[in-house]
């Protein structure tokens, strides 16, 4: 099934950042391993994967439990600094992300960035795609982070659109839960974790496979599964 030009595009597209727009999850995981090791603790790859998509304060508390002898704010600042340093050297765009952003911009669809990373990192990333995002909702701007729906509800409110008329693009189970709970049509794109089937969830292996036609179909209520 394909859409046509009469099928409306969404009122907005709401993008996750880490793992969806940019391939920074390996940066976070490396920084976590190094920090725990420096404090004499133990940290596994499986534990690192459990932090994907979490609010940074939640991740920091789990790192404290693993042996990091720093306050939560200190852990957050350390991780942000490590990842920001690598992003400043080179932005690791996810395949197809900039192309889809450009197509949405050309079609007049506003985009918001909805991330649990803080403004210091999000600002550095979006500076490389000037004008692509109308607003940024970051982890230091909300009181309840993903998987709570608040970040996506805030993004829609800032854009002045109904959240149910938006399409969210996510990669992590935590982020997908947040977007679905907010009531937005949601596309899960695989990164470091598999995207398991859920009612109402569209899926794709890569944004390379996602164009305006796919976005139209999802906005229209179709569940598009490019993984099955």
């Amino acid at each position: 099934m394909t859409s046509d030009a009469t099928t409306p595009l969404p009122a907005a597209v709401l993008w996750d950042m880490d793992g969806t727009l940019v391939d920074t999850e390996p940066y976070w995981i490396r920084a976590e391993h190094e920090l725990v090791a420096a404090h004499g603790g133990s940290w596994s790859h499986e534990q690192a994967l459990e932090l994907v998509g979490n609010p940074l304060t939640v991740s920091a508390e789990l790192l404290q439990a693993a042996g990091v002898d720093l306050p939560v704010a200190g852990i957050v600042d350390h991780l942000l600094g490590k990842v920001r340093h690598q992003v400043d050297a080179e932005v690791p765009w996810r395949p197809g992300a900039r192309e889809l952003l450009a197509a949405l911009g050309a079609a007049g669809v506003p985009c918001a960035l909805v991330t649990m990373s803080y403004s210091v990192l999000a600002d550095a990333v979006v500076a490389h795609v000037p004008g692509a995002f109308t607003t940024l909702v970051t982890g230091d701007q909300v009181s309840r982070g993903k998987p709570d729906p608040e970040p996506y509800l805030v993004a829609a409110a800032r854009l002045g659109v109904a959240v149910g008329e938006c399409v969210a693009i996510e990669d992590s189970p935590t982020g997908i839960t947040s977007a679905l709970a907010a009531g937005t049509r949601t596309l899960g794109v695989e990164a470091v974790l598999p995207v398991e089937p859920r009612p109402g969830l569209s899926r794709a292996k890569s944004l390379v496979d996602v164009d305006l036609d796919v976005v139209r179909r999802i906005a229209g209520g179709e569940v598009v599964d490019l993984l099955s």
Side-chain angles (χ1 to χ4, degrees):
M1 176 180 176
T2 60
S3 63
D4 57 44
T6 64
T7 304
L9 284 161
V13 173
L14 314 177
W15 292 73
D16 173 56
M17 187 176 78
D18 297 291
T20 300
L21 181 68
V22 288
D23 191 20
T24 45
E25 292 297 0
Y27 294 177
W28 289 103
I29 291 171
R30 185 181 307 120
E32 292 157 13
H33 277 286
E34 291 174 350
L35 181 60
V36 173
H39 284 257
S42 176
W43 192 245
S44 69
H45 184 64
E46 289 70 28
Q47 286 174 297
L49 292 179
E50 291 176 1
L51 302 193
V52 173
N54 277 350
L56 288 177
T57 52
V58 172
S59 295
E61 290 168 357
L62 293 173
L63 289 166
Q64 283 181 325
V68 177
D69 187 21
L70 289 173
V72 165
I75 294 173
V76 170
D77 287 346
H78 176 86
L79 295 177
L80 281 168
K82 286 285 189 179
V83 178
R84 170 69 189 266
H85 177 73
Q86 293 183 78
V87 166
D88 284 343
E90 181 180 4
V91 181
W93 301 104
R94 293 287 295 167
R98 282 181 294 179
E99 291 80 1
L100 182 57
L101 264 178
L104 290 166
V109 179
C111 290
L113 194 68
V114 185
T115 176
M116 289 300 89
S117 287
Y118 286 7
S119 299
V120 65
L121 180 57
D123 288 344
V125 171
V126 301
H128 292 269
V129 280
F133 291 98
T134 303
T135 189
L136 278 65
V137 178
T138 57
D140 50 337
Q141 297 175 1
V142 295
S143 57
R144 297 180 302 278
K146 302 173 186 178
D148 192 273
E150 181 185 344
Y152 281 101
L153 296 174
V154 169
R158 287 186 184 177
L159 293 172
V161 298
V163 71
E165 296 177 0
C166 298
V167 169
I169 306 177
E170 271 283 359
D171 72 294
S172 71
T174 300
I176 289 168
T177 297
S178 174
L180 290 173
T184 185
R185 310 288 188 187
T186 305
L187 170 65
V189 183
E190 289 198 337
V192 299
L193 294 172
V195 176
E196 302 293 344
R198 299 197 203 183
L201 177 65
S202 295
R203 302 189 301 162
K205 185 70 174 177
S206 168
L207 285 174
V208 171
D209 303 321
V210 179
D211 57 13
L212 289 184
D213 179 66
V214 171
V215 174
R216 285 182 192 273
R217 291 162 61 192
I218 296 171
E222 182 182 349
V223 174
V224 179
D225 196 340
L226 303 177
L227 283 179
S228 60

